Amino acid sequence: MRILVTGGAGFIGSALVRHLIGETDHEVLNLDKLTYAGVLSSLDPVGNNPRYRFVRGDICDGALVGRLLAEFQPDVIAHLAAESHVDRSIDGPGAFIQTNLVGTYTMLAEALAYWRGLEGERRDTFRFHHISTDEVFGSLGEDGFFTETTAYDPRSPYSASKAGSDHLVRAWGHTYGLPVLVTNCSNNYGPYHFPEKLIPLIIIRALGGEPLPVYGDGSNVRDWLYVEDHARALRAVFERGVPGETYNVGGDSERRNLDVVQAICTTLDRLAPRADGRAYAGQISFVADRPGHDRRYAIDASKIKAELGWAPQIGFEEGIGRTVRWYLDNRSWWGDILARRYDTARLGLAQA
Ligand SMILES: NC(=O)c1ccc[n+]([C@@H]2O[C@H](COP(=O)([O-])OP(=O)(O)OC[C@H]3O[C@@H](n4cnc5c(N)ncnc54)[C@H](O)[C@@H]3O)[C@@H](O)[C@H]2O)c1
């Protein structure tokens, strides 16, 4: 297959590209604008492979997208490019509307024109796969899980923009017959995660001897999905999923944020003990909560398990161990980001 991946220099996109080049014979074209979140060195493991090609560009540029589709002739578009950080969406929602809504619309319009020009089996097997989040479903109480039929109830500018893009994708499926697939997944974590997100932020600040910020009382609950499990799920969906369907993807690993931070501290105590012999947990510092912070997200992933035979393989404790080791072994990857584009300062307080 030929697969056009948008946002392939991001955290999940680069995991998908590494998976596709490393584990399959598929060819990959990566279209990425290289915003602050795009990190080309995440693709170093595949950069010289003849089945991989990178183009720097914006998904809002319809002429460019149309030209790339005509040249590359993809069988699948895996659409991951997005503004993805909730805290940044509180400070500056405009970029989220532009990329997540206008950009997804542009991808759909160009994909539809391209798909209409295909014939026979190539037209039947083409897929537009939109990668989205469980945050579109809003916030859960103590019990219950999000399923594929849970009503949408987004609460942050980020989740609202993703919800809108999901609706656009389904509308292009219903109205124009474009063979679309949607996946909504829980919080990803693992290697090459941009340092603004909770898990890498805590690892990096812990190693720097800095306070470890926990929003509110740390009791907000998220489900954690190891990014390489997610890459396998995405491949299962675009290779075998039924057009028009949605699949929820989760890691079966619900944890309170405070428990996540403590698990990182315990792992670091073992792998990279502090020079003074004290526990990293002593650096934990409770800070003002995120405005509108959703209480709990949890995914019921039984549909993708039953219908496509996918299940997460990496449990939370193993995943955290692998992730902490990766950050210890790859200081130049995140050191470069810290030096050039992000200093781990607090974002998204929505102050007037
Ligand atoms: N990270 C998670 O836990 C998570 C969970 C659920 C869903 N998702 C979704 O998965 C997708 C990927 O998430 P991620 O964590 O890898 O994000 P990321 O922020 O790490 O990467 C996004 C990538 O998109 C690129 N990009 C941004 N705007 C662009 C534009 N206009 N044109 C072309 N490229 C552009 C960036 O340069 C970057 O490489 C997103 O759609 C996100 O909403 C992420």
Side-chain angles (χ1 to χ4, degrees):
M1 281 182 175
R2 282 188 296 277
I3 299 158
L4 170 61
V5 176
T6 70
F11 169 48
I12 301 171
S14 69
L16 178 63
V17 173
R18 291 190 304 272
H19 172 77
L20 292 174
I21 296 298
E23 308 291 326
T24 75
D25 293 329
H26 300 326
E27 285 176 47
V28 175
L29 173 62
N30 171 13
L31 170 61
D32 195 296
K33 184 179 174 181
L34 298 183
T35 66
Y36 80 92
V39 186
L40 269 189
S41 59
S42 304
L43 295 152
D44 282 351
V46 298
N48 293 324
N49 190 294
R51 287 184 288 114
Y52 168 73
R53 194 181 138 206
F54 171 68
V55 171
R56 182 174 193 177
D58 192 330
I59 57 165
C60 301
D61 180 348
L64 171 68
V65 173
R67 199 165 63 244
L68 291 175
L69 292 174
E71 269 171 35
F72 184 61
Q73 293 284 311
D75 303 295
V76 171
I77 297 175
H79 175 42
L80 295 100
E83 289 291 338
S84 72
H85 190 34
V86 177
D87 287 344
R88 285 184 196 260
S89 82
I90 295 169
D91 292 338
F96 289 70
I97 303 306
Q98 185 62 21
T99 286
N100 300 0
L101 286 167
V102 178
T104 299
Y105 157 69
T106 308
M107 289 302 302
L108 285 166
E110 296 302 325
L112 180 62
Y114 165 75
W115 174 70
R116 282 178 166 161
L118 296 177
E119 287 175 356
E121 204 193 325
R122 292 215 51 223
R123 187 181 159 105
D124 296 340
T125 55
F126 175 81
R127 301 286 183 264
F128 184 100
H129 179 176
H130 176 62
I131 287 78
S132 190
T133 168
D134 60 358
E135 300 188 29
V136 298
F137 300 123
S139 183
L140 288 166
E142 295 300 310
D143 307 314
F145 295 90
F146 298 134
T147 71
E148 286 78 3
T149 55
T150 301
Y152 274 35
D153 184 20
R155 286 136 180 268
S156 71
Y158 164 67
S159 56
S161 69
K162 291 298 288 189
S165 65
D166 294 9
H167 290 323
L168 289 174
V169 171
R170 293 196 182 99
W172 259 244
H174 281 287
T175 307
Y176 305 110
L178 187 70
V180 298
L181 296 156
V182 176
T183 47
N184 296 88
C185 70
S186 53
N187 278 28
N188 283 222
Y189 71 106
Y192 300 99
H193 204 180
F194 196 83
E196 68 190 353
K197 303 281 169 65
L198 177 69
I199 289 178
L201 181 86
I202 295 298
I203 298 171
I204 289 168
R205 289 184 65 98
L207 291 171
E210 293 166 284
L212 308 180
V214 173
Y215 291 0
D217 63 1
S219 65
N220 299 62
V221 173
R222 300 290 181 264
D223 171 55
W224 293 93
L225 172 64
Y226 194 66
V227 69
E228 291 171 14
D229 276 335
H230 188 201
R232 286 191 307 105
L234 297 179
R235 178 181 159 202
V237 169
F238 66 65
E239 285 184 351
R240 306 196 299 282
V242 177
E245 292 293 321
T246 292
Y247 300 88
N248 279 0
V249 188
D252 294 337
S253 294
E254 269 188 66
R255 294 289 183 282
R256 294 185 314 155
N257 286 346
L258 183 57
D259 297 333
V260 171
V261 173
Q262 271 162 344
I264 295 168
C265 289
T266 315
T267 310
L268 279 171
D269 288 338
R270 193 160 39 82
L271 297 179
R274 278 174 50 130
D276 62 7
R278 293 197 181 152
Y280 281 100
Q283 291 171 228
I284 291 174
S285 151
F286 293 92
V287 298
D289 208 350
R290 166 188 282 166
H293 202 178
D294 288 338
R295 264 329 284 162
R296 175 171 167 260
Y297 305 141
I299 283 261
D300 175 351
S302 48
K303 177 175 172 180
I304 186 173
K305 289 178 182 169
E307 295 184 12
L308 302 182
W310 173 89
Q313 291 178 353
I314 310 291
F316 185 74
E317 278 64 36
E318 182 182 351
I320 280 292
R322 285 188 188 200
T323 305
V324 169
R325 264 191 299 277
W326 189 86
Y327 280 86
L328 289 171
D329 292 345
N330 291 275
R331 288 174 193 254
S332 65
W333 182 87
W334 52 267
D336 191 54
I337 291 171
L338 260 44
R340 289 167 201 247
R341 35 181 142 176
Y342 174 62
D343 61 4
T344 80
R346 178 80 194 264
L347 302 166
L349 278 168
Q351 280 162 343

